[in-house]
Amino acid sequence: MSKDPNISTLITCAIIDDDPFISDLLLDKLTQHFPEIQVIAVANNGQEGIQKLMKFRPKLVFLDVEVNDMTGFEMLLQLPEINFKTIFITSYRHYAIKAIRFNALDYLLKPIDLEELKNAIARFKNQYEQSSLPNPINQALVNISTLDEKEHVLNLNIQKGLVKIAVKDVLYIQGDRNYSQIQLGNKKVVVSKTLSDLAEILDDHYFFRCHKSHLVNRIHVHYIVNSFSLLLSSGQTLPISRRRKKPFQNWFSEINSPRREQS
């Protein structure tokens, strides 16, 4: 375990991963580069992880999204309380990556890169200093436990902290270079994510990219006005690009079979 008795304020930490190579690699990087972090527990499965988290109560947990006996989310759901910050460890294109990004959770890709680790720990320290901010893992667990996806709450990091947006309240999202405007009725929320980023996160949550600049929520699509525009429940219209016309019509007809195109 890494420990430096000369550090007055230690950040206690746990590593939960079923791959000993990853655990050892992470422990080695923390020991060499982060003397303020004290690894007080290492576990290689979910049950052991639960026991050690309840016993040692670390401030920071590095958690594999899928240990050999359960997922990281399933493990967290079994804890009576979560009073630590979580940084997930995952493989690129892992099935859980969208859930992690949807809930604004921090993560590291395997194999663990030192610079990415430094950035993740810097974000943790910033959040830890702002103890009044909600822990996004709690909302993530609520989402995962809620089967109806339109009732899920999207968490996004903005300059002033974390913004929570109910999926059912989003009419559409309009891209503007490196930013996106999320339309919520008469209110707009600007976030520093590209439309492509949001499309990747939301394509399993009722959304379709009908145009290069627009991502629409199917909950609020009233009908297709003509081949290249649609009407929202708010009375607003959005364009449908020529390239996306057929895929959009197929998607729309699949989810709204009783409705017909109106011209």
Side-chain angles (χ1 to χ4, degrees), residues 9 11 36 59 85 121-134:
T9 305
I11 298 169
E36 72 277 20
K59 298 175 183 175
K85 297 291 185 180
I121 290 176
R123 287 191 294 270
F124 160 76
K125 288 180 177 178
N126 182 57
Q127 293 172 357
Y128 189 72
E129 290 172 359
Q130 303 179 58
S131 57
S132 61
L133 293 177

Side-chain angles (χ1 to χ4, degrees), residues 75-89:
M75 195 205 79
L76 293 172
L77 282 167
Q78 295 186 44
L79 293 171
E81 62 176 344
I82 298 175
N83 46 17
F84 53 80
K85 297 291 185 180
T86 307
I87 298 176
F88 284 91
I89 309 170

